[in-house]
Structures are given as structure tokens and as C-alpha cells.
Amino acid sequence: MITTIRDMFSRIFNRDELLREAREVEAVQRLRKIHPADWCQALTCCAMGDETRSIATARRTFFANTGYMPEESSFYGRFCKGSVSLMKRLFEKALASSTRENREALAAVLDGSGLVDVEAIDGSQISLPASAAESIPSTSQEHGGIKLTATLSVLFQSISSITLTNAKTHDRKALKLPRWLHDRLILMDRGYGDHRLWATIEDRMGFFLTPLKSSTMPKVHAIRSGLGKAHVGQPLSGDLPYRKEVDVDAEFSVRKRGRRLFRVVGIQVKRDLPNGKSESVDLWFATNLPPELFSPIQLATIYRLRWEVEQLFRTLKMVGRLDHLRTANLQVIQTFIYATLLGMVLAHDLCALMRRCRSKAEPSPYRVMALVLTYTSAIVAALGTRMQSTVLRDFEVALLREGVNPNPGRPYRTAIYSKSLGNFA
């Protein structure tokens, strides 16, 4: 594990390689006392402890790492189109070479289902100060905003893709699907309730699962359970006499593509209230997953996995401090975002390594990213020195002791799997 960690940080923060790439993208004109490797490292790690992501914090981190305090204007001048390109390249390089180790509990559940991966898609807005409202508009006129649209592999716990747009861009327009989705399941929230998107996913050999909007009333085409056969051909509205679990095929109107059949399921669950009581809630989902492999309750349980992408945004904002950007300079904003994403990719990479070395471990990306921000400077400084083995060993111990999930199994409890998902084979 120590050797892999060493190779990971050596590859990402290779000084000669970073200098060459910085010159390629014109992130640096002349090499003086601010080396691109030290600069990138400072930007990645500057959100440690109670610090916010800012140029001043990055400058102080640079000083702590190198012993040299650059002039404010000199350090600020490094933020340009070239710096955005450099940090983006570094992020993409780390993403392309990252370790992919599946999560055994989830892999065992999907075995026999025909699915090769489960991906959760969502968008999240990063609030910016009011001074950014004109150049980077948000849904509110009181402040600016930028939207991150992420595709997260739940099976491998790693980022598949990420897109940056202004916050006013609709979720559907911000989403960029790959050309083919062979046997991948896409989990989406109601913001992606576009019938044409569902048809595109199906046409590209993929599967989708998403909550059904209350305003959507497709026509019932075939009934498997929960409704009398006499209701075939009627709109799927709240007025129909449903029984327990509903499982039907319904006809949806798809813009420019006529009409398509998708599966609609409905189940009733109990929701706890703050007063200690509970109430019944109806959950409705649209999907193209086959009924012979996935029952309605299984679909509802699988949809819970979409929470993983919410946890990704929580980590980026709370650990990576992306909600603390106080600038209207787009190049500064984008540079810091890619620096934060780089830290997240390193955290996911280390989580995969922990699972590979200890198959029963359930790492916490939230905790591991905090450790990445804390230890990266020390690790990079120790590479190639007599302190290398000591620092890497300390980091390994910290990962295995502090980087694990304090609530292992959520939402992958054995009881949920055995009772709800069962064996697909």
C-alpha cells in the first residue's frame, strides 16, 4: 500500500512534468521562485482546518510548503486561462489513472443482474458573492453561482465525469451523456424527468431509474400488479384504485420521437415524523429495468444509492470549502474548483486502494479527503528523502484508523440486501 501511495503522489505532482505542461498551456512564462508544482499543491491543500479557499490562504500554504512568501501581485498573476487549463489537466490526469476497485457488498448484489455499473447523476450550485452576479448569473439576483453536474460511479465510488456551467443552466442541458451506456444503470432525481432523455438512455443500451413527477400522467398500457385490468388505456392519475405495490407499463409522449413504453412502479413506505409518529408515503418511479429481475421494492431500495452523489457534493463543499469562494474572477473560481476536484479524485483513489488491501473495509471519502488535504504537503516534501518511508507509513496508519466509515454499511446494510434485493441470479 505504501508503494502505491508513493507512486500516486509522485505521478500527480511530478515537478518536471508539471513545468512542461504549465509551459504548454501558458500557465507560466518564466520560471522564477513560484514553481507550478508547488503552486498546484498549495491550491489543492489550502482548505485545511478552518481555512477557506482563497488566494490569501493558498499563498500562506505556499509559504508553509516552500519557505518563500511571494508578493501578492505575483501570486495573483498566476491565475489566468493557463492556470485553469493546468489544473483541469491535472484533475483529468488523476481521474484517468485512478484505481477502480468495486465495493464487494454492492458488487455481490448486482451479480447476475446484467448491470456493469450504477451511476448517480445530479447537479449542485456553488454560491458566489453578489459581485459575481452579472458575469456568472445564478437563479437569484442577489448572488452569482456556478453549477457542478457530476456523474458518480456508485459501484467503484469514483467520479465518472463532471461539467461546469453557470447556475442558471437547467439540469437537463448541463448533463452530457456518453455515446454508449452498455448495461449501466443511471439514477436521477426529478430534475431529469425528461422523457426524451429516458429514451436516449435506452437507445444507448443503458438503464435509468428516476422518481415520477406528480404532474406526469402517462397512459396505462399493461398491468402486472396493483390495478385492475379494466384500467388499461386510462391515464395513470391519483384517482385510480391502487392496491399495495403497483407495477405497470405506461405510454409516454417523447418529443420528436412519438410515444415510448416505460415501466412505472409505485410502493407505499412509512416515514418517521419529528413527533415520533409515522405516516404513509407513496413513492413512484419510472424505469426501463426488466420486471423479471427487479421488483418494485428492489427498485426503491436501489434508488437509495443515488444519495452517494449528494455525499460527493457535501464533501466538496464542507471539506473542500467550495462554498467559501469569495471572488468574481471566473478564472480564479474555475482554478480552485479543479484543485478541489483533484483532491476528491485522490481521496477516491485512496478509498479504492483501502478496499483492495482490506476487502471488508468501508472507507469514508469525506474523512479520506480531509486526510489528503492534511498530509499531501508532507508526503510530497518527503518523496525521495530519508523521511519518505516514515511519512508514508504515518499516512497509511491514519487512513486505516481515521479514514473508515464510522457507520459501515449505510446504505448497504446486509438486512436490506437480503430482504429487499435478494439474489438476481
Side-chain angles (χ1 to χ4, degrees):
M1 186 169 174
I2 288 178
T3 302
T4 307
I5 294 174
R6 180 203 64 197
D7 294 343
M8 179 191 308
F9 282 92
S10 299
R11 180 178 64 251
I12 297 301
F13 295 104
N14 183 290
R15 298 181 71 82
D16 294 336
E17 185 70 17
L18 271 173
L19 178 57
R20 182 186 63 78
E21 292 193 6
R23 284 172 170 160
E24 280 185 8
V25 298
E26 297 182 355
V28 60
Q29 300 295 330
R30 289 174 294 175
L31 181 61
R32 292 183 176 177
K33 293 185 178 181
I34 303 179
H35 194 286
D38 297 325
W39 186 81
C40 291
Q41 183 187 325
L43 262 63
T44 303
C45 304
C46 68
M48 292 186 297
D50 296 327
E51 295 280 15
T52 59
R53 283 204 180 272
S54 67
I55 295 177
T57 307
R59 184 165 161 257
R60 289 195 297 271
T61 304
F62 182 91
F63 172 68
N65 293 344
T66 65
Y68 170 68
M69 177 63 82
E71 293 293 331
E72 288 185 25
S73 58
S74 175
F75 199 81
Y76 186 87
R78 295 282 174 163
F79 290 86
C80 57
K81 289 183 179 180
S83 69
V84 177
S85 300
L86 180 62
M87 287 306 308
K88 185 178 180 180
R89 277 194 182 190
L90 202 54
F91 158 67
E92 292 174 343
K93 176 183 176 181
L95 190 61
S97 60
S98 61
T99 305
R100 288 176 66 84
E101 188 75 15
N102 66 36
R103 305 160 89 168
E104 285 192 356
L106 183 55
V109 169
L110 297 178
D111 185 35
S113 69
L115 297 176
V116 299
D117 199 1
V118 178
E119 294 184 334
I121 293 177
D122 202 4
S124 183
Q125 178 176 323
I126 298 171
S127 295
L128 300 173
S131 56
E134 184 175 347
S135 58
I136 315 170
S138 175
T139 50
S140 170
Q141 295 182 352
E142 297 179 357
H143 58 80
I146 196 163
K147 176 179 283 188
L148 269 65
T149 301
T151 301
L152 178 75
S153 168
V154 180
L155 179 59
F156 295 97
Q157 201 175 47
S158 63
I159 297 173
S160 299
S161 66
I162 202 148
T163 306
L164 274 60
T165 59
N166 69 60
K168 294 184 71 173
T169 305
H170 190 275
D171 288 343
R172 174 64 187 92
K173 291 184 178 180
L175 175 61
K176 306 296 182 185
L177 288 175
R179 185 173 181 180
W180 295 109
L181 295 164
H182 292 290
D183 298 327
R184 278 187 275 175
L185 171 60
I186 309 296
L187 306 178
M188 305 173 287
D189 66 10
R190 288 185 178 87
Y192 301 92
D194 178 0
H195 305 166
R196 192 176 183 185
L197 171 63
W198 303 352
T200 299
I201 293 173
E202 187 172 63
D203 292 342
R204 296 183 183 184
M205 310 296 289
F207 298 95
F208 69 89
L209 177 61
T210 181
L212 193 67
K213 290 183 178 179
S214 58
S215 59
T216 303
M217 289 188 289
K219 186 183 296 184
V220 177
H221 179 80
I223 298 171
R224 276 178 289 275
S225 64
L227 269 177
K229 301 297 182 183
H231 298 290
V232 171
Q234 296 185 24
L236 194 67
S237 67
D239 299 329
L240 297 180
Y242 303 110
R243 301 189 303 272
K244 296 182 179 179
E245 293 181 4
V246 180
D247 192 348
V248 303
D249 288 333
E251 197 175 79
F252 290 79
S253 175
V254 180
R255 185 166 57 92
K256 295 184 179 180
R257 299 191 189 184
R259 304 189 72 83
R260 294 284 285 266
L261 286 180
F262 297 120
R263 184 184 174 196
V264 176
V265 301
I267 64 169
Q268 195 172 80
V269 298
K270 295 289 186 181
R271 181 172 63 184
D272 294 331
L273 298 175
N275 59 9
K277 298 181 180 181
S278 62
E279 65 176 357
S280 295
V281 179
D282 293 323
L283 301 179
W284 291 89
F285 297 96
T287 185
N288 63 336
L289 287 168
E292 59 271 15
L293 290 180
F294 300 89
S295 68
I297 188 65
Q298 288 173 341
L299 293 176
T301 306
I302 290 173
Y303 186 73
R304 293 179 62 194
L305 301 176
R306 199 197 68 83
W307 182 248
E308 292 282 317
V309 74
E310 301 287 356
Q311 290 293 87
L312 169 67
F313 290 128
R314 174 175 175 264
T315 303
L316 290 172
K317 291 180 179 182
M318 295 188 68
V319 181
R321 302 289 199 274
L322 278 187
D323 258 358
H324 292 73
L325 296 175
R326 297 293 176 261
T327 177
N329 187 317
L330 181 59
Q331 293 168 355
V332 174
I333 293 166
Q334 291 177 332
T335 302
F336 272 121
I337 287 176
Y338 283 119
T340 308
L341 290 172
L342 172 62
M344 192 74 253
V345 171
L346 290 174
H348 282 159
D349 208 346
L350 289 165
C351 286
L353 181 60
M354 291 167 68
R355 285 194 298 272
R356 176 176 293 178
C357 296
R358 295 194 178 183
S359 59
K360 301 301 181 183
E362 182 58 46
S364 165
Y366 185 97
R367 289 174 168 233
V368 172
M369 185 174 181
L371 291 171
V372 167
L373 298 183
T374 303
Y375 278 86
T376 292
S377 296
I379 292 172
V380 175
L383 292 175
T385 71
R386 289 182 296 177
M387 292 299 296
Q388 176 178 288
S389 59
T390 302
V391 173
L392 290 175
R393 192 179 302 111
D394 290 345
F395 184 52
E396 179 188 34
V397 171
L399 283 174
L400 298 176
R401 184 183 63 232
E402 303 169 25
V404 295
N405 191 341
N407 300 302
R410 294 183 181 179
Y412 310 109
R413 293 177 182 171
T414 304
I416 291 176
Y417 280 150
S418 59
K419 293 179 183 178
S420 301
L421 297 185
N423 185 4
F424 291 117

mmCIF file of all heavy atoms in Angstrom, residues 382-411:
data_model
loop_
_atom_site.group_PDB
_atom_site.id
_atom_site.type_symbol
_atom_site.label_atom_id
_atom_site.label_comp_id
_atom_site.label_asym_id
_atom_site.label_seq_id
_atom_site.Cartn_x
_atom_site.Cartn_y
_atom_site.Cartn_z
ATOM 1 N N ALA A 382 8.434 14.834 1.346
ATOM 2 C CA ALA A 382 9.254 13.709 1.800
ATOM 3 C C ALA A 382 9.672 12.772 0.679
ATOM 4 O O ALA A 382 10.573 11.947 0.869
ATOM 5 C CB ALA A 382 8.492 12.915 2.865
ATOM 6 N N LEU A 383 9.033 12.875 -0.492
ATOM 7 C CA LEU A 383 9.351 11.973 -1.597
ATOM 8 C C LEU A 383 10.829 12.064 -1.980
ATOM 9 O O LEU A 383 11.363 13.157 -2.205
ATOM 10 C CB LEU A 383 8.481 12.294 -2.819
ATOM 11 C CG LEU A 383 6.981 11.992 -2.675
ATOM 12 C CD1 LEU A 383 6.224 12.468 -3.911
ATOM 13 C CD2 LEU A 383 6.735 10.502 -2.449
ATOM 14 N N GLY A 384 11.493 10.901 -2.026
ATOM 15 C CA GLY A 384 12.902 10.864 -2.410
ATOM 16 C C GLY A 384 13.870 11.216 -1.302
ATOM 17 O O GLY A 384 15.068 11.352 -1.555
ATOM 18 N N THR A 385 13.371 11.402 -0.066
ATOM 19 C CA THR A 385 14.232 11.720 1.068
ATOM 20 C C THR A 385 14.219 10.581 2.078
ATOM 21 O O THR A 385 13.465 9.615 1.951
ATOM 22 C CB THR A 385 13.776 13.020 1.763
ATOM 23 O OG1 THR A 385 12.536 12.762 2.457
ATOM 24 C CG2 THR A 385 13.568 14.133 0.751
ATOM 25 N N ARG A 386 15.035 10.729 3.123
ATOM 26 C CA ARG A 386 15.084 9.697 4.166
ATOM 27 C C ARG A 386 13.789 9.631 4.965
ATOM 28 O O ARG A 386 13.511 8.628 5.626
ATOM 29 C CB ARG A 386 16.263 9.981 5.113
ATOM 30 C CG ARG A 386 17.633 9.736 4.487
ATOM 31 C CD ARG A 386 18.727 9.984 5.498
ATOM 32 N NE ARG A 386 18.758 11.387 5.913
ATOM 33 C CZ ARG A 386 19.586 11.878 6.837
ATOM 34 N NH1 ARG A 386 20.447 11.058 7.438
ATOM 35 N NH2 ARG A 386 19.565 13.155 7.157
ATOM 36 N N MET A 387 12.998 10.696 4.927
ATOM 37 C CA MET A 387 11.741 10.741 5.679
ATOM 38 C C MET A 387 10.589 10.087 4.929
ATOM 39 O O MET A 387 9.487 9.978 5.453
ATOM 40 C CB MET A 387 11.379 12.204 5.995
ATOM 41 C CG MET A 387 12.325 12.882 6.973
ATOM 42 S SD MET A 387 12.321 12.038 8.573
ATOM 43 C CE MET A 387 10.624 12.331 9.081
ATOM 44 N N GLN A 388 10.809 9.683 3.683
ATOM 45 C CA GLN A 388 9.724 9.171 2.847
ATOM 46 C C GLN A 388 8.975 8.008 3.499
ATOM 47 O O GLN A 388 7.740 8.052 3.622
ATOM 48 C CB GLN A 388 10.282 8.725 1.494
ATOM 49 C CG GLN A 388 9.250 8.072 0.578
ATOM 50 C CD GLN A 388 9.841 7.704 -0.763
ATOM 51 O OE1 GLN A 388 10.117 8.580 -1.577
ATOM 52 N NE2 GLN A 388 10.058 6.419 -0.997
ATOM 53 N N SER A 389 9.681 6.978 3.916
ATOM 54 C CA SER A 389 9.020 5.796 4.470
ATOM 55 C C SER A 389 8.264 6.120 5.744
ATOM 56 O O SER A 389 7.166 5.604 5.982
ATOM 57 C CB SER A 389 10.038 4.684 4.713
ATOM 58 O OG SER A 389 11.042 5.113 5.615
ATOM 59 N N THR A 390 8.822 7.007 6.580
ATOM 60 C CA THR A 390 8.157 7.374 7.839
ATOM 61 C C THR A 390 6.852 8.118 7.589
ATOM 62 O O THR A 390 5.810 7.814 8.187
ATOM 63 C CB THR A 390 9.096 8.245 8.697
ATOM 64 O OG1 THR A 390 10.304 7.530 8.949
ATOM 65 C CG2 THR A 390 8.435 8.615 10.014
ATOM 66 N N VAL A 391 6.899 9.117 6.693
ATOM 67 C CA VAL A 391 5.703 9.916 6.395
ATOM 68 C C VAL A 391 4.626 9.060 5.735
ATOM 69 O O VAL A 391 3.439 9.141 6.090
ATOM 70 C CB VAL A 391 6.075 11.120 5.502
ATOM 71 C CG1 VAL A 391 4.810 11.855 5.052
ATOM 72 C CG2 VAL A 391 6.999 12.065 6.230
ATOM 73 N N LEU A 392 5.023 8.218 4.793
ATOM 74 C CA LEU A 392 4.048 7.364 4.110
ATOM 75 C C LEU A 392 3.450 6.346 5.072
ATOM 76 O O LEU A 392 2.248 6.026 4.985
ATOM 77 C CB LEU A 392 4.716 6.647 2.931
ATOM 78 C CG LEU A 392 5.097 7.535 1.738
ATOM 79 C CD1 LEU A 392 5.852 6.725 0.696
ATOM 80 C CD2 LEU A 392 3.854 8.162 1.116
ATOM 81 N N ARG A 393 4.253 5.834 5.994
ATOM 82 C CA ARG A 393 3.737 4.872 6.970
ATOM 83 C C ARG A 393 2.734 5.558 7.905
ATOM 84 O O ARG A 393 1.692 4.988 8.227
ATOM 85 C CB ARG A 393 4.879 4.264 7.771
ATOM 86 C CG ARG A 393 4.449 3.038 8.603
ATOM 87 C CD ARG A 393 5.611 2.437 9.369
ATOM 88 N NE ARG A 393 6.688 2.036 8.483
ATOM 89 C CZ ARG A 393 7.874 2.621 8.420
ATOM 90 N NH1 ARG A 393 8.124 3.680 9.186
ATOM 91 N NH2 ARG A 393 8.813 2.195 7.589
ATOM 92 N N ASP A 394 3.050 6.776 8.323
ATOM 93 C CA ASP A 394 2.124 7.528 9.183
ATOM 94 C C ASP A 394 0.801 7.785 8.455
ATOM 95 O O ASP A 394 -0.278 7.705 9.052
ATOM 96 C CB ASP A 394 2.744 8.860 9.603
ATOM 97 C CG ASP A 394 3.896 8.686 10.585
ATOM 98 O OD1 ASP A 394 4.021 7.582 11.155
ATOM 99 O OD2 ASP A 394 4.665 9.656 10.763
ATOM 100 N N PHE A 395 0.899 8.103 7.166
ATOM 101 C CA PHE A 395 -0.304 8.356 6.364
ATOM 102 C C PHE A 395 -1.131 7.084 6.224
ATOM 103 O O PHE A 395 -2.362 7.115 6.340
ATOM 104 C CB PHE A 395 0.097 8.892 4.991
ATOM 105 C CG PHE A 395 -1.060 9.271 4.117
ATOM 106 C CD1 PHE A 395 -2.057 10.122 4.566
ATOM 107 C CD2 PHE A 395 -1.168 8.771 2.813
ATOM 108 C CE1 PHE A 395 -3.139 10.486 3.758
ATOM 109 C CE2 PHE A 395 -2.230 9.119 2.006
ATOM 110 C CZ PHE A 395 -3.216 9.980 2.472
ATOM 111 N N GLU A 396 -0.477 5.964 5.987
ATOM 112 C CA GLU A 396 -1.189 4.686 5.870
ATOM 113 C C GLU A 396 -1.927 4.355 7.163
ATOM 114 O O GLU A 396 -3.107 3.949 7.142
ATOM 115 C CB GLU A 396 -0.208 3.572 5.527
ATOM 116 C CG GLU A 396 -0.873 2.196 5.403
ATOM 117 C CD GLU A 396 0.141 1.085 5.249
ATOM 118 O OE1 GLU A 396 1.228 1.197 5.845
ATOM 119 O OE2 GLU A 396 -0.155 0.098 4.549
ATOM 120 N N VAL A 397 -1.254 4.541 8.294
ATOM 121 C CA VAL A 397 -1.881 4.282 9.594
ATOM 122 C C VAL A 397 -3.089 5.184 9.796
ATOM 123 O O VAL A 397 -4.154 4.754 10.258
ATOM 124 C CB VAL A 397 -0.854 4.471 10.733
ATOM 125 C CG1 VAL A 397 -1.552 4.428 12.096
ATOM 126 C CG2 VAL A 397 0.221 3.398 10.666
ATOM 127 N N ALA A 398 -2.948 6.476 9.427
ATOM 128 C CA ALA A 398 -4.059 7.426 9.573
ATOM 129 C C ALA A 398 -5.241 7.027 8.698
ATOM 130 O O ALA A 398 -6.409 7.114 9.125
ATOM 131 C CB ALA A 398 -3.579 8.836 9.221
ATOM 132 N N LEU A 399 -4.966 6.580 7.471
ATOM 133 C CA LEU A 399 -6.041 6.157 6.577
ATOM 134 C C LEU A 399 -6.828 4.989 7.162
ATOM 135 O O LEU A 399 -8.072 5.000 7.179
ATOM 136 C CB LEU A 399 -5.464 5.748 5.218
ATOM 137 C CG LEU A 399 -5.036 6.853 4.258
ATOM 138 C CD1 LEU A 399 -4.365 6.248 3.034
ATOM 139 C CD2 LEU A 399 -6.223 7.708 3.837
ATOM 140 N N LEU A 400 -6.122 3.978 7.636
ATOM 141 C CA LEU A 400 -6.783 2.769 8.130
ATOM 142 C C LEU A 400 -7.432 2.972 9.491
ATOM 143 O O LEU A 400 -8.351 2.235 9.854
ATOM 144 C CB LEU A 400 -5.769 1.619 8.197
ATOM 145 C CG LEU A 400 -5.153 1.213 6.848
ATOM 146 C CD1 LEU A 400 -4.101 0.139 7.037
ATOM 147 C CD2 LEU A 400 -6.244 0.732 5.883
ATOM 148 N N ARG A 401 -6.972 3.989 10.209
ATOM 149 C CA ARG A 401 -7.551 4.248 11.529
ATOM 150 C C ARG A 401 -8.663 5.304 11.476
ATOM 151 O O ARG A 401 -9.724 5.145 12.091
ATOM 152 C CB ARG A 401 -6.457 4.709 12.495
ATOM 153 C CG ARG A 401 -6.956 4.918 13.939
ATOM 154 C CD ARG A 401 -5.849 5.457 14.837
ATOM 155 N NE ARG A 401 -5.392 6.765 14.400
ATOM 156 C CZ ARG A 401 -4.117 7.073 14.188
ATOM 157 N NH1 ARG A 401 -3.184 6.144 14.330
ATOM 158 N NH2 ARG A 401 -3.774 8.289 13.798
ATOM 159 N N GLU A 402 -8.421 6.390 10.721
ATOM 160 C CA GLU A 402 -9.349 7.522 10.734
ATOM 161 C C GLU A 402 -10.156 7.667 9.451
ATOM 162 O O GLU A 402 -11.122 8.430 9.417
ATOM 163 C CB GLU A 402 -8.564 8.818 10.977
ATOM 164 C CG GLU A 402 -7.754 8.817 12.260
ATOM 165 C CD GLU A 402 -6.804 9.998 12.327
ATOM 166 O OE1 GLU A 402 -7.097 11.022 11.673
ATOM 167 O OE2 GLU A 402 -5.770 9.908 13.011
ATOM 168 N N GLY A 403 -9.753 6.957 8.379
ATOM 169 C CA GLY A 403 -10.420 7.141 7.094
ATOM 170 C C GLY A 403 -11.566 6.187 6.822
ATOM 171 O O GLY A 403 -12.105 6.171 5.717
ATOM 172 N N VAL A 404 -11.957 5.390 7.812
ATOM 173 C CA VAL A 404 -13.043 4.427 7.601
ATOM 174 C C VAL A 404 -14.376 5.030 7.996
ATOM 175 O O VAL A 404 -14.449 5.968 8.798
ATOM 176 C CB VAL A 404 -12.794 3.128 8.392
ATOM 177 C CG1 VAL A 404 -11.560 2.416 7.876
ATOM 178 C CG2 VAL A 404 -12.652 3.420 9.881
ATOM 179 N N ASN A 405 -15.430 4.478 7.430
ATOM 180 C CA ASN A 405 -16.783 4.946 7.699
ATOM 181 C C ASN A 405 -17.188 4.570 9.124
ATOM 182 O O ASN A 405 -17.176 3.402 9.480
ATOM 183 C CB ASN A 405 -17.748 4.298 6.693
ATOM 184 C CG ASN A 405 -19.125 4.931 6.718
ATOM 185 O OD1 ASN A 405 -19.498 5.602 7.683
ATOM 186 N ND2 ASN A 405 -19.878 4.721 5.658
ATOM 187 N N PRO A 406 -17.574 5.547 9.972
ATOM 188 C CA PRO A 406 -17.977 5.214 11.345
ATOM 189 C C PRO A 406 -19.316 4.482 11.400
ATOM 190 O O PRO A 406 -19.668 3.897 12.417
ATOM 191 C CB PRO A 406 -18.065 6.584 12.029
ATOM 192 C CG PRO A 406 -18.341 7.536 10.908
ATOM 193 C CD PRO A 406 -17.608 6.988 9.705
ATOM 194 N N ASN A 407 -20.071 4.556 10.300
ATOM 195 C CA ASN A 407 -21.352 3.837 10.204
ATOM 196 C C ASN A 407 -21.293 2.890 9.015
ATOM 197 O O ASN A 407 -21.947 3.112 7.992
ATOM 198 C CB ASN A 407 -22.514 4.819 10.024
ATOM 199 C CG ASN A 407 -22.630 5.780 11.182
ATOM 200 O OD1 ASN A 407 -22.792 5.366 12.322
ATOM 201 N ND2 ASN A 407 -22.529 7.075 10.900
ATOM 202 N N PRO A 408 -20.474 1.830 9.086
ATOM 203 C CA PRO A 408 -20.272 0.964 7.923
ATOM 204 C C PRO A 408 -21.553 0.306 7.464
ATOM 205 O O PRO A 408 -22.388 -0.100 8.262
ATOM 206 C CB PRO A 408 -19.277 -0.089 8.449
ATOM 207 C CG PRO A 408 -19.464 -0.077 9.923
ATOM 208 C CD PRO A 408 -19.799 1.337 10.277
ATOM 209 N N GLY A 409 -21.686 0.231 6.133
ATOM 210 C CA GLY A 409 -22.837 -0.471 5.573
ATOM 211 C C GLY A 409 -23.932 0.427 5.081
ATOM 212 O O GLY A 409 -24.772 0.013 4.303
ATOM 213 N N ARG A 410 -24.005 1.682 5.532
ATOM 214 C CA ARG A 410 -25.092 2.537 5.068
ATOM 215 C C ARG A 410 -24.785 3.084 3.686
ATOM 216 O O ARG A 410 -23.709 3.650 3.494
ATOM 217 C CB ARG A 410 -25.294 3.703 6.035
ATOM 218 C CG ARG A 410 -25.779 3.263 7.402
ATOM 219 C CD ARG A 410 -26.029 4.462 8.281
ATOM 220 N NE ARG A 410 -26.472 4.061 9.603
ATOM 221 C CZ ARG A 410 -26.743 4.911 10.578
ATOM 222 N NH1 ARG A 410 -26.613 6.206 10.380
ATOM 223 N NH2 ARG A 410 -27.128 4.488 11.750
ATOM 224 N N PRO A 411 -25.681 3.004 2.702
ATOM 225 C CA PRO A 411 -26.960 2.329 2.791
ATOM 226 C C PRO A 411 -26.878 0.884 2.308
ATOM 227 O O PRO A 411 -27.742 0.434 1.582
ATOM 228 C CB PRO A 411 -27.838 3.154 1.864
ATOM 229 C CG PRO A 411 -26.870 3.579 0.796
ATOM 230 C CD PRO A 411 -25.519 3.745 1.468
#
